[in-house]
Amino acid sequence: LSTRTLDVTTEKGAPLEVKRVLIEKGDRRQLVYYWFDQRGRNITNEYLLKWYLFWDSLTRNRTDGSLVRVTTPVPASADIAKADRELTEFVRRFNPELEAYIPD
């Protein structure tokens, strides 16, 4: 299990912070990018997410939010850097489309 945070520049030029996790089970590997999108906030820290859920429940009477997770398999013979580039490009193009589906 390998975890770190990285920034992806979206198609609109805005930075998007994502949590990057490489998971393995036996000989199978997957590269996962995820983040929480909560009323215009990009959050990668689970504790901060809980704080904002609490705060929004008090100030806005809202407790909803979204977990966005994209995953790609990484075969044993595949280059992880190539999988990173492909997943980063997918997130870069796909993120602006989320605005229509995630509440503000």
Side-chain angles (χ1 to χ4, degrees):
L1 183 68
S2 169
T3 306
R4 69 177 185 196
T5 303
L6 59 97
D7 289 324
V8 175
T9 303
T10 65
E11 239 179 21
K12 292 184 175 182
L16 175 69
E17 188 176 80
V18 302
K19 189 73 84 164
R20 176 199 180 272
V21 182
L22 180 63
I23 56 176
E24 300 181 39
K25 183 174 184 179
D27 61 344
R28 297 172 58 185
R29 299 185 300 179
Q30 290 186 333
L31 185 60
V32 180
Y33 285 7
Y34 73 93
W35 65 97
F36 300 94
D37 194 322
Q38 190 175 359
R39 274 167 291 297
R41 297 183 198 106
N42 168 234
I43 304 169
T44 57
N45 181 302
E46 290 85 0
Y47 297 108
L48 189 58
L49 171 71
K50 295 231 185 250
W51 163 252
Y52 279 120
L53 280 172
F54 170 71
W55 181 251
D56 288 344
S57 72
L58 291 176
T59 61
R60 298 181 184 188
N61 201 29
R62 301 274 305 261
T63 58
D64 57 337
S66 301
L67 165 66
V68 183
R69 182 178 66 189
V70 293
T71 306
T72 188
V74 183
S77 62
D79 181 20
I80 293 176
K82 182 177 185 262
D84 260 320
R85 288 189 301 273
E86 290 172 351
L87 208 51
T88 298
E89 181 61 19
F90 178 77
V91 169
R92 185 184 78 76
R93 291 176 178 234
F94 142 88
N95 190 60
E97 301 299 323
L98 288 176
E99 292 175 7
Y101 302 98
I102 295 180
D104 281 339

